[in-house]
Amino acid sequence: MFVALTGLVVGIVIGVMSGIVYPSGFSAYVAMGILACMDSLLGGIYANMRNDFHWKVFATGFVTNAVLAMALIWLGNQLSIDLSIAAIVVYGSRMFHNCSNIRHWLLNRNEEKNPAEREV
């Protein structure tokens, strides 16, 4: 977990200090890519907490979600339809679901697995 947080902080610092600016026409693509990647990141954190994390699943899901979200925006632009709302709803609801699962796991991690075995 420490390595992931260190990588995140280093990546943010490099991104801010690099001074790279993307054209405003790409802002919808970048925003959806970030939203999709955050969804994958929260899913990876939850899987790690359950000891069910697999690097290949996380990496392929991370890239696939980002590409799919950006492709959805591109298709919407080609059809003159705002499909970004669909991506926001899907990835936003998944993020809330992952956050809820993480919260439940954190709250229940110290409880016994079978309450019937508790002594009175």
Side-chain angles (χ1 to χ4, degrees):
M1 188 70 153
F2 179 72
V3 174
L5 289 175
T6 303
L8 179 65
V9 170
V10 168
I12 289 172
V13 169
I14 290 173
V16 169
M17 306 254 322
S18 69
I20 296 174
V21 179
Y22 57 88
S24 62
F26 294 144
S27 63
Y29 299 103
V30 173
M32 285 304 116
I34 290 171
L35 187 65
C37 291
M38 286 181 63
D39 168 53
S40 295
L41 183 66
L42 286 171
I45 290 170
Y46 180 57
N48 188 36
M49 294 171 115
R50 292 181 321 200
N51 294 324
D52 191 29
F53 181 81
H54 300 286
W55 178 251
K56 289 180 183 178
V57 173
F58 174 73
T60 56
F62 191 85
V63 172
T64 304
N65 278 349
V67 170
L68 183 63
M70 289 185 264
L72 191 64
I73 301 303
W74 177 82
L75 179 64
N77 287 342
Q78 299 303 310
L79 298 173
S80 298
I81 300 171
D82 189 13
L83 291 179
S84 64
I85 294 172
I88 290 169
V89 169
V90 169
Y91 290 117
S93 66
R94 286 177 47 159
M95 286 174 57
F96 280 113
H97 183 71
N98 284 330
C99 285
S100 173
N101 286 338
I102 291 169
R103 180 178 51 85
H104 283 208
W105 185 89
L106 288 171
L107 291 173
N108 297 326
R109 68 181 166 186
N110 293 328
E111 292 184 6
E112 295 178 33
K113 299 219 182 243
N114 189 358
E117 296 176 358
R118 238 185 273 165
E119 292 184 33
V120 180

